[in-house]
Amino acid sequence: MELNRRTVIAGAAAAGIAATTLGTTQTSAAAAAGAQAASATSGGRKPVKELFGTLADGTKIYRWSLVNGGTRLKVLNYGGIVQTLEVPDRRGHCANVVAGFDNIADYVAKSPYFGALIGRYGNRIGKGRFTLDGKSYQLSVNDGVNSLHGGKQGFDKHVWDVEPFAEGSDVGLHLHYTSVDGEMGYPGTLKAKVTYTLTRHGEWRIDYEATTDKATIVNLTSHVYWNLAGEGSGTIEDHELRIAASRYTPTDSGLIPTGELAKVAGTPFDFRHAKPIGRDIRAGHVQQVQAKGYDHNWVLDKGITARPEHVVTLRDPRSGRTLKIATDQPGLQFYSGNFLDGTLTGTGGHTYRQGDALCLETQHFPDAPNHANFPSTVLRPGQTYRTTTIHTFEA
């Protein structure tokens, strides 16, 4: 989902942070050598760190490069952003399959959450308000009258502490951020830990954890924009998508769920069997007209599960690349890149137009704190929030 979906907001202004000078975005010889030496069978070497840029306040932004099992991942400590993710096609040719920028200035000033970690609450909360244990809270609003992705300075706009690791056949990063009581209006000091792991098979696994000292709400997710044909290569409407969901949550004109769990049968929202995204995207359904495409939460048939289960398959017929997503979460937000408008230039030098990338965000439901029939997102002291999403790549 994009900030305000209709406009790209310069979050730096609200955050009081701006980017000025840039560090090198070229991988050093040492980093390249380390990446090439990574083994697909016995585990890659410890992630390689390099300077990516500098914020206006002098804070240095670093990029870590990870390689394992044929997958190459580059991550920033700013927002936990996945800047690039490379996987091979059916002929073994690697390409970056996620949207992003080649400089920190663009991430700070105008990114629509490209590749970022989202918190405290992924997706929207109506009018930025909710009540917990009889007390009402007013959150930061940044999407008209609503709060989106944690408010004006969500987790995507903070610098995270990063610990690289290489354990057995896995390589990865532990990312840490502490959100203080009252930040963006949320109660409780929340300590968040997110682990990115590349396995020997090239899977990208995300493990989220969080604890709090006061009752609060939490809904963490990842906001990667995918194009399996390659970043900047054009439309994703020919991608074939399958979602294991018989229902979705319709929204009002502000994209806030109405509370209904509607059946997908007989509607353009039926992806129970794989179909090209473009087949029904202009069907004229009132929900599509409001969202200018797909920008909705699917209610996964499996519900909340003890371990991740396969719920989504995305395939690009041109390259043969296939992405399979497994999660323990009850919902999935599918966003079809409706408000990419040609004003953003990506890592490959191409501009992003409407439908040039898509998001598949595993999550609890939008606005859940205001709907008693939605799965709860409440976290209390003594509890640990845990959830896992696994991305598997094939060709």
Side-chain angles (χ1 to χ4, degrees), residues 85-158:
L85 192 156
E86 298 179 43
V87 291
D89 64 9
R90 63 165 64 92
R91 296 179 178 83
H93 298 148
C94 283
N96 173 30
V97 295
V98 303
F101 298 118
D102 65 0
N103 64 86
I104 191 58
D106 283 349
Y107 279 114
V108 170
K110 55 189 177 182
S111 176
Y113 300 104
F114 282 152
L117 286 175
I118 301 298
R120 288 189 192 190
Y121 199 97
N123 221 300
R124 294 177 173 83
I125 295 180
K127 297 182 180 178
R129 299 174 188 165
F130 71 97
T131 300
L132 178 59
D133 296 338
K135 183 175 180 180
S136 296
Y137 294 91
Q138 177 62 61
L139 306 175
S140 164
V141 295
N142 60 329
D143 183 32
V145 299
N146 302 316
S147 183
L148 174 63
H149 292 334
K152 293 180 180 178
Q153 193 176 2
F155 286 8
D156 60 294
K157 296 178 181 66
H158 287 279

Side-chain angles (χ1 to χ4, degrees), residues 282-312:
R282 294 174 180 82
H285 191 287
V286 62
Q287 288 290 311
Q288 292 175 298
V289 173
Q290 287 179 169
K292 295 182 168 41
Y294 295 110
D295 191 0
H296 295 78
N297 169 66
W298 270 253
V299 180
L300 299 174
D301 289 339
K302 70 173 188 60
I304 299 173
T305 47
R307 54 182 55 85
E309 294 185 12
H310 176 211
V311 292
V312 178

Side-chain angles (χ1 to χ4, degrees), residues 351-370:
T351 56
Y352 297 140
R353 302 168 302 171
Q354 184 180 50
D356 278 357
L358 64 94
C359 300
L360 298 165
E361 304 155 60
T362 56
Q363 60 177 17
H364 269 59
F365 302 171
D367 202 36
N370 295 312

Side-chain angles (χ1 to χ4, degrees), residues 4 26 31 37 68 171 211 250 255 258 293 298 311 332 336 362 371:
N4 203 17
Q26 301 297 319
N68 206 8
V171 296
T211 59
L255 302 184
T258 62
W298 270 253
V311 292
L332 176 95
S336 53
T362 56
H371 299 277

Side-chain angles (χ1 to χ4, degrees), residues 4-331:
N4 203 17
R5 289 293 197 250
R6 295 165 177 80
T7 57
V8 178
I9 295 176
I17 299 175
T20 50
T21 58
L22 301 180
T24 176
T25 59
Q26 301 297 319
T27 303
S28 66
Q36 293 170 358
S39 167
T41 56
S42 60
R45 294 185 177 179
K46 193 171 182 179
V48 176
K49 176 182 176 181
E50 62 182 322
L51 182 65
F52 184 73
T54 307
L55 301 181
D57 64 0
T59 301
K60 293 181 178 179
I61 302 303
Y62 292 97
R63 180 173 66 181
W64 279 259
S65 298
L66 299 77
V67 182
N68 206 8
T71 300
R72 302 174 182 176
L73 182 66
K74 293 186 178 181
V75 177
L76 308 182
N77 61 339
Y78 182 80
I81 288 169
V82 172
Q83 189 221 3
T84 65
L85 192 156
E86 298 179 43
V87 291
D89 64 9
R90 63 165 64 92
R91 296 179 178 83
H93 298 148
C94 283
N96 173 30
V97 295
V98 303
F101 298 118
D102 65 0
N103 64 86
I104 191 58
D106 283 349
Y107 279 114
V108 170
K110 55 189 177 182
S111 176
Y113 300 104
F114 282 152
L117 286 175
I118 301 298
R120 288 189 192 190
Y121 199 97
N123 221 300
R124 294 177 173 83
I125 295 180
K127 297 182 180 178
R129 299 174 188 165
F130 71 97
T131 300
L132 178 59
D133 296 338
K135 183 175 180 180
S136 296
Y137 294 91
Q138 177 62 61
L139 306 175
S140 164
V141 295
N142 60 329
D143 183 32
V145 299
N146 302 316
S147 183
L148 174 63
H149 292 334
K152 293 180 180 178
Q153 193 176 2
F155 286 8
D156 60 294
K157 296 178 181 66
H158 287 279
V159 177
W160 291 61
D161 294 327
V162 179
E163 289 178 67
F165 67 87
E167 299 173 358
S169 60
D170 295 338
V171 296
L173 304 170
H174 297 302
L175 300 103
H176 301 265
Y177 175 69
T178 297
S179 176
V180 299
D181 184 20
E183 184 174 279
M184 297 295 104
Y186 288 89
T189 295
L190 188 83
K191 294 183 177 180
K193 175 184 177 182
V194 180
T195 301
Y196 290 164
T197 303
L198 285 188
T199 73
R200 64 189 295 267
H201 301 295
E203 298 165 322
W204 174 39
R205 175 179 176 130
I206 311 177
D207 291 285
Y208 305 86
E209 297 180 26
T211 59
T212 184
D213 63 359
K214 186 187 298 185
T216 191
I217 56 172
V218 186
N219 189 27
L220 307 182
T221 191
S222 171
H223 209 294
V224 168
Y225 283 69
W226 302 96
N227 186 324
L228 298 183
E231 177 272 337
S233 63
T235 183
I236 47 80
E237 290 190 9
D238 57 351
H239 281 39
E240 297 163 353
L241 178 64
R242 177 183 176 274
I243 305 174
S246 302
R247 295 174 296 168
Y248 76 106
T249 53
T251 67
D252 63 18
S253 60
L255 302 184
I256 300 298
T258 62
E260 179 186 5
L261 304 180
K263 293 181 179 179
V264 301
T267 77
F269 295 85
D270 192 348
F271 285 91
R272 291 175 295 174
H273 300 284
K275 67 177 181 181
I277 290 169
R279 176 179 295 175
D280 298 324
I281 200 169
R282 294 174 180 82
H285 191 287
V286 62
Q287 288 290 311
Q288 292 175 298
V289 173
Q290 287 179 169
K292 295 182 168 41
Y294 295 110
D295 191 0
H296 295 78
N297 169 66
W298 270 253
V299 180
L300 299 174
D301 289 339
K302 70 173 188 60
I304 299 173
T305 47
R307 54 182 55 85
E309 294 185 12
H310 176 211
V311 292
V312 178
T313 301
L314 180 69
R315 179 178 181 272
D316 169 43
R318 288 181 288 170
S319 66
R321 293 188 185 94
T322 298
L323 166 64
K324 294 181 177 180
I325 298 178
T327 188
D328 50 19
Q329 292 285 276

